[in-house]
Amino acid sequence: MTLLTPTDTVPAGFELPEFHARLRDEVRDFADTVVAPAAYEYDTKRELPYDIIRAMGDMGLFGLPIPEEYGGRGRDYLALCLAVEQLARADQSIAVTLEAGVGLGMMPILRSGTEAQKREWLPLLASGHALGAFGLTEAEAGSDAAGTRTTAVLEDGQWVINGSKQFITNSGSEITRLVTVTAVTGESRHPDGSVKKELTAILVPVPIDGFVAHPAYDKVGWHTSDTHPLTFTDVRVPEENILGARGRGFANFLQTLDEGRVAFAALCTGAAQGCLEEAVRYAGERRVFGRAIGDNQHIAFTLARMQARVHTARLAYYDAAIKIVKGQPFKTEASIAKLVGSEAAMANARDATQIFGGYGFLNASPVARHYRDSKILEIGEGTSEVQLGVIARGLGFSAL
């Protein structure tokens, strides 16, 4: 496929330049001809389709926002978002494998890693022949980092890691080679007597002694996505595997999470678009009482609302992605895009299933898969309530 060149410019407003539009169309074609025909089979088997992941790697999708000197394609963040959106139309599980593989597996290293870490890990992960994961969430810690219980103690030049993580994407696949883990590496006491945990991010190559990826979760949706609970028992890695400064693990991850929400919003938009396309097709083909059901005002108006949601969600993530590319603040815009996009995906999945009627209740139907998959979009990478809190704080309110 033809990809962007480093000399290409950032979009003006919301009109995609020719190179972004070309990338979008090429990934869309791949999604329609390769991903979609296999989606039901892999969803039923609950298997990550390694042949499709390798093909995506060969297309350069995993390396889109990674500089060429580290084995990537040297493109911009909007390019990644466009690819994620098109894949999500056909299969959200495949889209989130790309989104998490880049946003959580590679971007923390690109943003906070040493030169040696970048050269060791980014070319491998950018190839798409290996996956990286980020272990943040625990049973009592996710949005609340203070609840983190996983620890890392420095002994004889090595970090000794003990603890557990849950809901970690890309963490137990056959090609998972890296899990970055946040761990408590110390504590600091404030003058008022309160104690603050020192959280640090540490690179853990896998497989490694003491690391266990437990059996994959039996999830409502995203059946093809690789998601596991993890345990670390006296896992030892070199001291230099620290990612960024000691004690800055959660702060650095928040920056990565803000970026990730924009790509996640693109995934939401793709899911909403996929539901719209399926519903429009079916409403034109399905005939009742001698005419297409789409000619009934209620169905037509439902489709119109679905289109409005997609359009709004797309503009929201375009806005945030363009701000990233231009180096402008985007935290609030990222949360708006994620909130609007996830609500659009869930609402469109519900409406599309209703339009399909009984056929929408069959697992072989793409809209049924979107219906099961889309709920997690309002939860993953920051719940809707978290996004509302971020937006409210941007308006000057504590929102406690």
Side-chain angles (χ1 to χ4, degrees):
M1 67 182 290
T2 304
L3 294 174
L4 324 183
T5 63
T7 57
D8 287 327
T9 58
V10 173
F14 298 113
E15 182 179 354
L16 289 180
E18 187 273 335
F19 59 87
H20 281 92
R22 187 171 64 248
L23 172 67
R24 176 199 61 199
D25 293 346
E26 290 172 347
V27 179
R28 180 186 181 90
D29 180 68
F30 175 80
D32 288 344
T33 59
V34 177
V35 178
Y40 177 56
E41 176 186 356
Y42 283 111
D43 183 81
T44 302
K45 292 180 178 179
R46 302 193 176 207
E47 294 179 357
L48 184 65
Y50 295 106
D51 54 340
I52 292 178
I53 301 303
R54 283 192 296 271
M56 290 161 56
D58 294 341
M59 291 170 67
L61 300 187
F62 283 91
L64 276 171
I66 305 302
E68 292 180 302
E69 61 186 300
Y70 302 122
R73 295 296 184 264
R75 317 318 183 205
D76 60 27
Y77 202 78
L78 178 59
L80 172 66
C81 291
L82 292 170
V84 169
E85 178 190 351
Q86 294 308 314
L87 291 171
R89 289 172 43 257
D91 191 332
Q92 292 185 39
S93 291
I94 296 298
V96 79
T97 300
L98 174 62
E99 186 272 332
V102 177
L104 302 179
M106 284 184 271
M107 296 307 289
I109 299 173
L110 181 64
R111 300 302 188 206
S112 305
T114 64
E115 186 65 21
Q117 289 169 346
K118 292 176 185 178
R119 294 196 178 280
E120 177 180 4
W121 289 109
L122 293 181
L124 174 64
L125 299 176
S127 73
H129 292 193
L131 292 173
F134 200 105
L136 172 72
T137 304
E138 299 183 9
E140 298 182 13
S143 303
D144 178 16
T148 299
R149 294 186 176 182
T150 297
T151 62
V153 178
L154 196 57
E155 294 181 358
D156 300 324
Q158 290 186 318
W159 291 108
V160 182
I161 305 170
N162 285 279
S164 61
K165 300 291 179 177
Q166 63 180 14
F167 307 132
I168 310 303
T169 304
N170 294 344
S171 60
S173 75
E174 294 178 5
I175 58 174
T176 298
R177 295 294 176 266
L178 174 71
V179 177
T180 302
V181 60
T182 53
V184 178
T185 52
E187 294 181 345
S188 59
R189 187 172 297 276
H190 294 177
D192 63 0
S194 62
V195 175
K196 180 180 180 181
K197 293 180 178 179
E198 175 189 84
L199 296 179
T200 302
I202 301 172
L203 301 172
V204 179
V206 295
I208 190 172
D209 289 344
F211 169 82
V212 177
H214 297 280
Y217 292 103
D218 182 11
K219 304 186 297 268
V220 170
W222 281 9
H223 291 161
T224 302
S225 172
D226 179 79
T227 318
H228 298 262
L230 312 174
T231 58
F232 300 80
T233 305
D234 291 333
V235 173
R236 293 178 175 268
V237 298
E239 181 177 0
E240 57 267 25
N241 279 32
I242 187 173
L243 181 62
R246 178 169 178 167
R248 295 287 299 171
F250 191 72
N252 290 341
F253 180 68
L254 286 179
Q255 176 188 3
T256 301
L257 192 60
D258 286 339
E259 286 186 349
R261 284 172 179 161
V262 180
F264 203 83
L267 190 158
C268 296
T269 303
Q273 176 72 43
C275 290
L276 173 64
E277 292 174 7
E278 287 294 321
V280 167
R281 177 189 60 78
Y282 186 77
E285 294 176 354
R286 174 66 166 165
R287 302 186 69 81
V288 177
F289 301 119
R291 64 175 182 173
I293 62 172
D295 289 332
N296 295 306
Q297 186 182 79
H298 173 71
I299 300 296
F301 280 11
T302 298
L303 294 169
R305 288 188 182 278
M306 293 173 69
Q307 168 71 340
R309 293 184 193 120
V310 171
H311 184 71
T312 303
R314 184 173 291 119
L315 292 182
Y317 97 70
Y318 276 15
D319 179 41
I322 291 169
K323 282 182 166 58
I324 292 176
V325 174
K326 291 185 175 181
Q328 298 172 350
F330 66 94
K331 187 180 188 69
T332 297
E333 288 80 2
S335 286
I336 291 173
K338 202 275 184 180
L339 176 69
V340 171
S342 60
E343 290 180 347
M346 192 68 241
N348 276 17
R350 181 189 63 240
D351 285 347
T353 302
Q354 190 70 21
I355 288 172
F356 268 71
Y359 292 106
F361 202 62
L362 302 179
N363 281 327
S365 169
V367 300
R369 188 168 61 252
H370 277 302
Y371 190 81
R372 289 186 283 103
D373 288 348
S374 292
K375 183 55 194 175
I376 191 60
L377 301 177
E378 297 181 312
I379 299 171
E381 297 217 18
T383 64
S384 295
E385 291 76 16
V386 167
Q387 308 313 319
L388 289 168
V390 173
I391 297 166
R393 286 192 289 275
L395 295 172
F397 298 97
S398 61
L400 297 176

